[in-house]
Every structure is written in C-alpha cells, then in structure tokens.
Amino acid sequence: MWLKTIKFCTIDFIPNRHKNTLKKQKIEDLAIFGDTPVFKEKLHVGRPNIGDKKNLLDRVSDVLDSGWLTNNGPNVQEFELRLAEIIGVKHCFAVCNATVALQIAARALELKGEVILPSFTFIASAHALKWINITPVFCDIDPNTHNIDPSKIEMLISPRTTGIIGVHVWGRPCDVETITQIAEQNNLKVLYDAAHAFGSSFQRKMIGGFGDAEVFSFHATKIFNTFEGGAITTNNDQLAHKISLMRNFGFHGIDNVIELGTNGKMNEISAAMGLTSLESIDDFIKINKRNYDCYQSELGDIQGLKLIHYDENERSNFQYFVVEVDGIKAGVSRDLLVKVLHAENILARRYFYPGCHQLEPYRTLVPDVGLRLQETEKLVTRVMCLPTGTAISITDIMQICSIIRFTLTHSKKISELLSSGLTGFG
Ligand code: T4K
C-alpha cells in the first residue's frame, strides 16, 4: 500500500563498511590528474525515475485515440483525485510546472508588496514572486534543517508584507507550527513551496495540506515526474475556486471570463506519466532509502562531512542525498571535492549555490542583503548533492564513497598538487 512500506523497506542495503572498492590506488590514478574517470557514463543527480513503460505507452495510446489532449482531460482529473487522496487534501490542481503554480497560488492568495522567503532555495521560488511584481524579502535559514529560520521572520515584517513562503528544502518539512503562529499574529498568508516534498510528512500528516496552499513540482528530476508539471493543493474552498479559474485563463464556462488568468494547465500525456509514476512511487522511495542507508554507512564516520538526516518518525521521500563539507576539518573544500568528483564523471551538484540573493536581479537590487543571511552564506559554500534515485546502483554508491574517502584521506597532497597547477602526471 502506498507509502506504508517505506519504513519496512524490502530493498535492503547490506552494509559493507568501507570495503575498498576503489579501482584507484594512487593519487595519480584520480581523473583530475589525467587518469580515466571511474565512471564511463556521467552520473547525474537528477536522473528521472521512470515507472512501467508499457503502462505509460498504453495510456499515451489511449490519449491519442481519444482526441482529447489537454484542457482538464480524464487523465488530469484522475491524477488530481489520486494526488488529493494520497495527500489527504480537499483540492488538488495539476499544473504545467511548479513555477507557474507558485505564481497562480500567490495571485489567488492576493499576495502583493513584500513576501518573506528563504534565499536558500531554487531560483524559481523567488522569480515566481518577482515575475508578478512582488518583492521577495530573503530570510536566513536554520543551519540544522536548511529551512527558513522562523525566529528571523518577524524582524523582516514591514507594513508592505503580505505573506510568507516556506520551502520544504530536500523534502524536510519547515517548522510549520511556528510559521503558522507568526502568520496568524501578523495577519499574513502562508504558501509552502513543496517542490521537493511529495511523499513527506510533518507530524505524521502528509505535506500538501499546510498553510493556505502548497505547491509541488513533478519536474523530470523529482521523486516522480510528469516530464514537466506540478500541483497546487489547498483545503480552502474559496481559494480553490480562484485557482481553478486562474489556471485556465479565468474562464467560467464557455465565452465567460471572470478573473485574470493564465495558462497553467497540465496536458494529458503528462498526467498519463504522472499516473504511471504514482504506480511505482513506493519502489522509487524504497530505492532512495536504500541509497540513503548506503551513503550513511559508507560516509557516516568521515571527519569533516555532515550528512543529511531524515526524521525516522516522519515519512520522507529521500529524494536528495546532501552532504555538508567542512573545508577545515575535511582538509579539502566542497568546491575542490566537487571538481574531483566531476572529473570522475560523478556530477555532484552545489544546490543552491550561491543563494537567490546572489543571483540577478536580486544581487543588484539589494547588494548587501547577504549581511543578514550569514547561515545561508555559510551553507552555500559547504553543501553538495550526490546522485541517488533508481538510476544509481549500490555498486555506484560504493565507488562514489570510495572516491570521497580517498580524496579526504589524501586531501593535503591533492590540494598541494592542484594549487601548484598540476592536473596531469603525464
Ligand atoms: N521550487 C523549488 C524549491 C525547486 O527546487 C524547483 C525546481 C521549483 C520550485 C520549480 O519547479 P519547476 O518549475 O521546475 O517544476 C533542476 C530542475 O530543473 C528544477 O525543477 C529543480 N527545482 C532544481 C532543483 O533542479 P537544474 O537547473 O539543476 O536542471 P538541470 O538541467 O541541470 O538538471 C539537473 C540534473 O538532472 C542534471 O544533472 C541533469 C539531470 N537530468 C535532467 C533532466 C531534465 C536528467 O538526467 N534527465 C532530465 O530529463 O534544475
């Protein structure tokens, strides 16, 4: 049954602690110094999880035969019902992507003026606001959770503030209780960017029913995907009515437009992919959990690395495997480690470097905002995501971990060689 099995994972990772699986024995064997990469093919962080191809192709064939390709078709309707049922929320609207979903939700909530959100998020969270003339006001994060720090929200509230966007970064829930309290005391709306959080819970309730509304992403790189896509969920009937209008140009029946709207609709092929992906989501999560256990077991004891922790009492999708590198303790900076990994075709990503506030147009508009974002500024220099998902095997992870262990063990020599400009022994 959906999500019930996560904690009793049957795809076991059998710990094989630090068995030397590395094909490379000497520093000169590292690809950064000119040797052959350990992986022939590039290992991506965001490789899509693909469900049962036959089921998908059957659904696609039905869509083509039906002559109904988009505009609230039967697959979209079924997909929305399934999602609402899984999440336990009253209303669910499938949309073309999470960025447009954030814009629709923000407009439907009548957000304007300033909205407070973390800078440690994908640029879409901030751009969605700016695109509709709202000023994003960046708040610092809690270094333990990587999520917005509620204790720093109130000092940012001004007479122009209309709302808060909490981002459940890596699928780990925000401090929903404190955010709700602050919002109630200050008459603010709350929207959650739950792009990473499908299948995760807060206090045993599925993400999707918190705040005034929540927004999911079903982009190709997410736990399950609809190629491009997303959803807006809410328990508020009035808000739901507005969202349903706004997603479809403001149409209320034929020839009658009663709202400013946009085109946020999901098409039938995307919904077919969504329905197919949902059939396999238990397996996707189990595989992520197995990968998580393997990384924990192989890297857990290395000084200078802090590994992501998912609360065992909550549901998690284990979608991201995140490592913080303490350059001093590890003897090697995050950036150097990423370079070593990239040379080996392990495409670790520095999400969300350098923080939204350091990207345009925000860095020009508010150049010194970083001064109050000290935890964000620290984290963006330390954090690194490693490949996980169904495309990665345990053997791959053992190799990745061996390269990391080897690099940290020989950090001094590697750093010296690289700073002397030596990137090949030949
Ligand atoms: N809010 C948050 C907190 C988000 O993280 C995001 C999106 C959004 C809002 C907006 O959601 P959407 O509007 O996209 O629905 C990727 C994704 O494109 C983006 O959706 C995601 N967050 C972000 C965290 O990651 P990039 O710029 O890193 O994409 P890219 O092309 O570099 O791909 C990432 C990795 O995945 C690469 O190593 C290649 C691999 N990949 C990618 C695709 C598309 C594949 O192997 N196959 C593929 O089909 O943003």
Side-chain angles (χ1 to χ4, degrees), residues 336-390:
L336 204 146
L337 183 54
V338 166
K339 268 191 198 155
V340 170
L341 293 172
H342 277 218
E344 303 291 349
N345 275 337
I346 303 159
L347 301 191
R349 292 292 295 260
R350 302 183 299 174
Y351 291 130
F352 295 101
Y353 177 84
C356 293
H357 68 289
Q358 294 287 11
L359 295 168
E360 294 298 355
Y362 316 106
R363 79 171 155 212
T364 301
L365 290 172
V366 201
D368 53 2
V369 72
L371 294 175
R372 69 152 194 263
L373 300 176
Q374 287 179 9
E375 296 299 343
T376 305
E377 296 239 305
K378 259 189 254 165
L379 187 64
V380 295
T381 65
R382 296 160 60 106
V383 81
M384 163 179 95
C385 292
L386 295 173
T388 182
T390 52

Coordinates of all heavy atoms in Angstrom, one line a residue, residues 336-390:
L336 N 36.6 21.9 -4.2 CA 37.6 21.0 -4.7 C 37.1 19.6 -4.8 O 37.4 18.9 -5.8 CB 38.8 21.1 -3.8 CG 40.1 20.7 -4.5 CD1 41.3 21.6 -4.0 CD2 40.4 19.3 -4.4
L337 N 36.4 19.2 -3.8 CA 35.8 17.8 -3.8 C 34.9 17.6 -5.0 O 34.9 16.6 -5.7 CB 35.1 17.6 -2.5 CG 34.5 16.2 -2.3 CD1 35.6 15.1 -2.5 CD2 33.9 16.0 -0.9
V338 N 34.1 18.7 -5.3 CA 33.2 18.6 -6.4 C 34.0 18.4 -7.7 O 33.6 17.7 -8.6 CB 32.2 19.8 -6.5 CG1 31.5 19.9 -7.8 CG2 31.2 19.7 -5.4
K339 N 35.1 19.2 -7.8 CA 35.9 19.1 -9.0 C 36.5 17.7 -9.2 O 36.5 17.1 -10.3 CB 37.1 20.1 -8.9 CG 36.9 21.4 -9.5 CD 38.2 22.2 -9.6 CE 37.8 23.7 -9.7 NZ 38.9 24.6 -9.2
V340 N 37.0 17.1 -8.1 CA 37.5 15.7 -8.1 C 36.4 14.8 -8.6 O 36.6 13.9 -9.5 CB 38.0 15.3 -6.8 CG1 38.4 13.8 -6.8 CG2 39.3 16.1 -6.4
L341 N 35.2 14.9 -8.1 CA 34.1 14.0 -8.4 C 33.7 14.2 -9.9 O 33.5 13.3 -10.6 CB 32.9 14.3 -7.5 CG 33.1 13.9 -6.0 CD1 31.9 14.3 -5.2 CD2 33.3 12.4 -5.9
H342 N 33.6 15.5 -10.3 CA 33.2 15.7 -11.7 C 34.2 15.1 -12.7 O 33.8 14.5 -13.7 CB 33.1 17.2 -12.0 CG 31.8 17.8 -11.6 ND1 31.1 18.8 -12.3 CD2 31.0 17.5 -10.5 CE1 30.0 19.1 -11.7 NE2 29.9 18.3 -10.6
A343 N 35.5 15.2 -12.3 CA 36.5 14.6 -13.2 C 36.2 13.0 -13.4 O 36.5 12.5 -14.4 CB 37.9 14.8 -12.7
E344 N 35.7 12.5 -12.3 CA 35.4 11.0 -12.3 C 34.0 10.7 -13.0 O 33.5 9.6 -12.8 CB 35.4 10.4 -10.9 CG 36.7 10.6 -10.1 CD 37.9 9.8 -10.7 OE1 37.7 9.0 -11.6 OE2 39.0 10.1 -10.3
N345 N 33.4 11.8 -13.5 CA 32.0 11.7 -14.1 C 30.9 11.5 -13.1 O 29.8 11.0 -13.4 CB 31.9 10.6 -15.1 CG 32.4 11.0 -16.5 OD1 32.4 12.2 -16.8 ND2 32.8 10.1 -17.3
I346 N 31.2 11.9 -11.8 CA 30.2 11.9 -10.8 C 29.7 13.4 -10.7 O 30.4 14.2 -10.1 CB 30.8 11.4 -9.4 CG1 31.4 10.1 -9.6 CG2 29.7 11.5 -8.3 CD1 32.4 9.7 -8.5
L347 N 28.5 13.7 -11.2 CA 28.2 15.1 -11.4 C 27.4 15.6 -10.1 O 26.2 15.9 -10.2 CB 27.3 15.3 -12.6 CG 28.0 14.9 -13.9 CD1 27.3 15.4 -15.1 CD2 29.5 15.5 -14.0
A348 N 28.1 15.7 -9.0 CA 27.6 16.2 -7.8 C 27.2 17.7 -8.1 O 27.8 18.3 -8.9 CB 28.7 16.2 -6.7
R349 N 26.1 18.1 -7.4 CA 25.6 19.5 -7.6 C 25.7 20.3 -6.4 O 25.5 19.8 -5.3 CB 24.2 19.5 -8.1 CG 24.0 18.9 -9.5 CD 24.6 19.7 -10.6 NE 24.0 21.0 -10.7 CZ 23.1 21.3 -11.7 NH1 22.7 20.4 -12.6 NH2 22.5 22.5 -11.7
R350 N 26.0 21.6 -6.6 CA 26.1 22.5 -5.4 C 24.8 23.3 -5.1 O 24.8 24.5 -5.0 CB 27.2 23.6 -5.7 CG 28.6 22.9 -6.0 CD 29.6 24.0 -6.2 NE 29.4 24.9 -7.3 CZ 30.1 26.0 -7.6 NH1 31.1 26.3 -6.8 NH2 29.8 26.7 -8.6
Y351 N 23.7 22.5 -5.1 CA 22.4 23.2 -4.8 C 22.5 23.9 -3.5 O 22.9 23.2 -2.5 CB 21.2 22.2 -4.9 CG 20.9 21.7 -6.2 CD1 20.8 20.3 -6.4 CD2 20.8 22.5 -7.3 CE1 20.5 19.8 -7.7 CE2 20.4 22.0 -8.6 CZ 20.3 20.6 -8.8 OH 20.0 20.1 -10.0
F352 N 22.0 25.1 -3.2 CA 21.6 26.1 -4.1 C 22.6 27.2 -4.1 O 22.3 28.3 -3.6 CB 20.2 26.6 -3.6 CG 19.1 25.5 -3.7 CD1 18.7 24.8 -2.6 CD2 18.7 25.1 -5.0 CE1 17.8 23.8 -2.8 CE2 17.7 24.1 -5.1 CZ 17.3 23.4 -4.0
Y353 N 23.7 27.0 -4.5 CA 24.8 27.9 -4.7 C 24.5 28.9 -5.8 O 24.0 28.5 -6.8 CB 26.1 27.2 -5.0 CG 27.3 28.2 -5.2 CD1 28.0 28.6 -4.1 CD2 27.6 28.6 -6.5 CE1 29.1 29.5 -4.3 CE2 28.7 29.4 -6.7 CZ 29.4 29.9 -5.6 OH 30.4 30.8 -5.8
P354 N 24.7 30.2 -5.6 CA 25.2 30.9 -4.4 C 24.1 31.5 -3.5 O 24.4 32.4 -2.7 CB 26.0 32.0 -5.1 CG 25.2 32.4 -6.3 CD 24.5 31.1 -6.7
G355 N 22.9 31.0 -3.6 CA 21.8 31.6 -2.9 C 21.1 32.6 -3.8 O 21.7 33.2 -4.6
C356 N 19.8 32.6 -3.7 CA 19.0 33.5 -4.6 C 19.5 34.9 -4.6 O 19.5 35.7 -5.6 CB 17.5 33.5 -4.3 SG 16.7 31.9 -4.6
H357 N 19.8 35.4 -3.3 CA 20.2 36.8 -3.2 C 21.4 37.2 -3.9 O 21.7 38.3 -4.1 CB 20.3 37.1 -1.7 CG 21.5 36.5 -1.0 ND1 21.5 35.1 -0.8 CD2 22.6 37.0 -0.5 CE1 22.7 34.8 -0.2 NE2 23.4 35.9 0.0
Q358 N 22.2 36.2 -4.3 CA 23.5 36.5 -5.0 C 23.3 36.3 -6.5 O 24.2 36.3 -7.3 CB 24.6 35.5 -4.6 CG 25.0 35.7 -3.1 CD 25.9 36.9 -2.9 OE1 25.9 37.8 -3.8 NE2 26.5 37.1 -1.8
L359 N 22.0 36.1 -6.9 CA 21.7 36.0 -8.4 C 20.9 37.2 -8.8 O 20.2 37.8 -8.0 CB 21.0 34.7 -8.6 CG 21.8 33.4 -8.3 CD1 20.9 32.2 -8.3 CD2 23.0 33.2 -9.3
E360 N 20.9 37.4 -10.1 CA 20.1 38.6 -10.7 C 18.7 38.2 -10.7 O 18.3 37.0 -10.9 CB 20.6 38.9 -12.1 CG 22.0 39.5 -12.1 CD 22.2 40.8 -11.3 OE1 21.2 41.4 -10.8 OE2 23.3 41.2 -11.1
P361 N 17.8 39.2 -10.6 CA 18.1 40.6 -10.4 C 18.3 41.0 -8.9 O 18.6 42.2 -8.7 CB 16.8 41.3 -10.9 CG 15.7 40.3 -10.5 CD 16.3 38.9 -10.6
Y362 N 18.3 40.0 -8.0 CA 18.3 40.4 -6.6 C 19.6 40.9 -6.1 O 19.6 41.8 -5.3 CB 17.9 39.1 -5.8 CG 16.7 38.5 -6.4 CD1 16.8 37.3 -7.1 CD2 15.4 39.1 -6.5 CE1 15.7 36.7 -7.8 CE2 14.4 38.6 -7.1 CZ 14.5 37.3 -7.8 OH 13.5 36.8 -8.5
R363 N 20.7 40.4 -6.6 CA 22.0 40.9 -6.1 C 22.2 42.4 -6.5 O 22.9 43.1 -5.8 CB 23.2 40.0 -6.5 CG 23.7 40.2 -7.9 CD 25.0 39.4 -8.2 NE 25.0 39.2 -9.6 CZ 25.6 38.2 -10.2 NH1 26.1 37.2 -9.4 NH2 25.6 38.0 -11.5
T364 N 21.7 42.8 -7.6 CA 21.8 44.2 -8.0 C 20.8 45.1 -7.2 O 21.1 46.2 -6.7 CB 21.5 44.4 -9.5 OG1 22.5 43.6 -10.2 CG2 21.6 45.9 -9.9
L365 N 19.6 44.6 -7.0 CA 18.6 45.3 -6.3 C 18.9 45.5 -4.8 O 18.7 46.6 -4.3 CB 17.2 44.6 -6.4 CG 16.6 44.6 -7.8 CD1 15.3 43.7 -7.9 CD2 16.2 46.0 -8.2
V366 N 19.4 44.5 -4.2 CA 19.7 44.6 -2.7 C 21.1 44.0 -2.5 O 21.3 42.9 -2.0 CB 18.7 43.8 -1.9 CG1 18.7 44.4 -0.4 CG2 17.3 43.9 -2.4
P367 N 22.2 44.8 -2.9 CA 23.5 44.2 -2.9 C 24.0 43.7 -1.5 O 24.8 42.8 -1.5 CB 24.4 45.3 -3.4 CG 23.5 46.5 -3.7 CD 22.1 46.2 -3.3
D368 N 23.6 44.3 -0.4 CA 24.2 43.9 0.8 C 23.3 43.0 1.7 O 23.6 42.9 2.9 CB 24.7 45.1 1.6 CG 23.6 46.2 1.8 OD1 22.5 45.8 1.3 OD2 23.8 47.2 2.4
V369 N 22.3 42.4 1.1 CA 21.4 41.6 1.9 C 22.1 40.4 2.5 O 21.7 39.9 3.6 CB 20.2 41.2 1.0 CG1 20.5 40.2 0.0 CG2 19.0 40.7 1.9
G370 N 23.2 40.0 1.9 CA 23.9 38.8 2.4 C 24.4 39.0 3.9 O 24.6 38.1 4.6
L371 N 24.5 40.3 4.3 CA 25.0 40.6 5.7 C 24.1 40.0 6.7 O 24.5 39.6 7.8 CB 25.1 42.1 5.9 CG 26.2 42.8 5.0 CD1 26.1 44.3 5.2 CD2 27.6 42.3 5.4
R372 N 22.8 39.9 6.4 CA 21.8 39.3 7.3 C 21.5 37.9 7.0 O 20.7 37.3 7.7 CB 20.6 40.2 7.4 CG 19.7 40.1 6.2 CD 18.2 40.3 6.6 NE 17.4 39.9 5.5 CZ 16.9 40.8 4.6 NH1 17.1 42.1 4.6 NH2 16.1 40.3 3.6
L373 N 22.2 37.3 6.1 CA 22.0 35.9 5.7 C 23.2 35.1 5.9 O 23.7 34.3 5.1 CB 21.6 35.8 4.2 CG 20.3 36.6 3.8 CD1 20.1 36.5 2.3 CD2 19.1 36.1 4.5
Q374 N 23.7 35.2 7.2 CA 25.0 34.6 7.4 C 25.0 33.1 7.4 O 25.9 32.5 6.9 CB 25.5 35.1 8.8 CG 26.0 36.5 8.7 CD 26.5 37.1 10.0 OE1 26.7 36.4 10.9 NE2 26.7 38.4 10.0
E375 N 23.9 32.4 7.8 CA 23.9 31.0 7.8 C 23.7 30.5 6.4 O 24.3 29.5 6.0 CB 22.7 30.4 8.7 CG 22.8 30.7 10.1 CD 24.1 30.1 10.8 OE1 24.7 29.2 10.2 OE2 24.4 30.5 11.9
T376 N 23.0 31.3 5.6 CA 22.8 30.9 4.2 C 24.1 31.0 3.4 O 24.5 30.1 2.7 CB 21.8 31.9 3.5 OG1 20.6 31.9 4.2 CG2 21.5 31.5 2.0
E377 N 24.8 32.1 3.7 CA 26.1 32.3 3.0 C 27.1 31.2 3.4 O 27.9 30.8 2.6 CB 26.7 33.7 3.4 CG 25.8 34.8 2.9 CD 26.4 35.8 1.9 OE1 27.5 36.3 2.3 OE2 25.9 36.0 0.8
K378 N 27.1 30.7 4.6 CA 28.0 29.6 5.0 C 27.6 28.4 4.3 O 28.4 27.7 3.8 CB 27.9 29.4 6.6 CG 29.0 30.0 7.4 CD 29.0 29.5 8.8 CE 28.4 30.7 9.7 NZ 28.0 30.2 11.0
L379 N 26.3 28.1 4.4 CA 25.8 26.8 3.8 C 26.1 26.6 2.3 O 26.5 25.6 1.9 CB 24.3 26.6 4.1 CG 23.7 25.2 3.8 CD1 24.4 24.1 4.6 CD2 22.2 25.2 3.9
V380 N 25.9 27.7 1.6 CA 26.1 27.6 0.1 C 27.5 27.3 -0.3 O 27.8 26.8 -1.4 CB 25.6 28.9 -0.7 CG1 24.1 29.0 -0.5 CG2 26.3 30.1 -0.3
T381 N 28.5 27.5 0.7 CA 29.9 27.1 0.4 C 30.2 25.7 0.8 O 31.2 25.2 0.5 CB 30.9 28.0 1.1 OG1 30.7 27.8 2.5 CG2 30.6 29.5 0.8
R382 N 29.2 25.0 1.5 CA 29.5 23.7 2.1 C 28.7 22.6 1.4 O 29.1 21.4 1.5 CB 29.2 23.7 3.6 CG 30.0 24.7 4.4 CD 29.3 25.0 5.7 NE 29.1 23.8 6.5 CZ 29.8 23.5 7.6 NH1 30.7 24.3 8.1 NH2 29.5 22.4 8.3
V383 N 27.6 22.9 0.8 CA 26.6 21.9 0.6 C 26.8 21.2 -0.8 O 27.2 21.9 -1.8 CB 25.2 22.4 0.8 CG1 24.7 23.2 -0.4 CG2 24.2 21.4 1.1
M384 N 26.5 20.0 -0.9 CA 26.7 19.2 -2.2 C 25.7 18.1 -2.2 O 25.5 17.4 -1.2 CB 28.2 18.7 -2.1 CG 28.5 17.6 -3.0 SD 30.3 17.1 -2.7 CE 30.1 15.8 -1.6
C385 N 25.1 17.9 -3.4 CA 24.1 16.8 -3.5 C 24.8 15.7 -4.4 O 25.4 16.0 -5.4 CB 22.9 17.3 -4.3 SG 21.9 18.4 -3.4
L386 N 24.6 14.5 -3.9 CA 25.2 13.3 -4.6 C 24.1 12.5 -5.3 O 22.9 12.6 -4.9 CB 25.9 12.4 -3.6 CG 27.1 13.0 -2.9 CD1 27.7 12.1 -1.8 CD2 28.2 13.3 -3.9
P387 N 24.5 11.8 -6.4 CA 23.5 11.1 -7.2 C 22.7 10.1 -6.3 O 23.3 9.3 -5.6 CB 24.3 10.4 -8.2 CG 25.6 11.1 -8.3 CD 25.8 11.6 -6.9
T388 N 21.4 10.0 -6.5 CA 20.6 9.0 -6.0 C 19.4 8.7 -7.0 O 19.5 9.2 -8.1 CB 20.1 9.3 -4.6 OG1 19.3 8.2 -4.1 CG2 19.3 10.5 -4.5
G389 N 18.5 7.9 -6.6 CA 17.4 7.6 -7.5 C 17.6 6.2 -8.1 O 18.6 5.5 -7.8
T390 N 16.6 5.8 -9.0 CA 16.6 4.5 -9.5 C 17.8 4.2 -10.5 O 18.0 3.0 -10.8 CB 15.3 4.2 -10.2 OG1 15.0 5.2 -11.1 CG2 14.1 4.1 -9.2

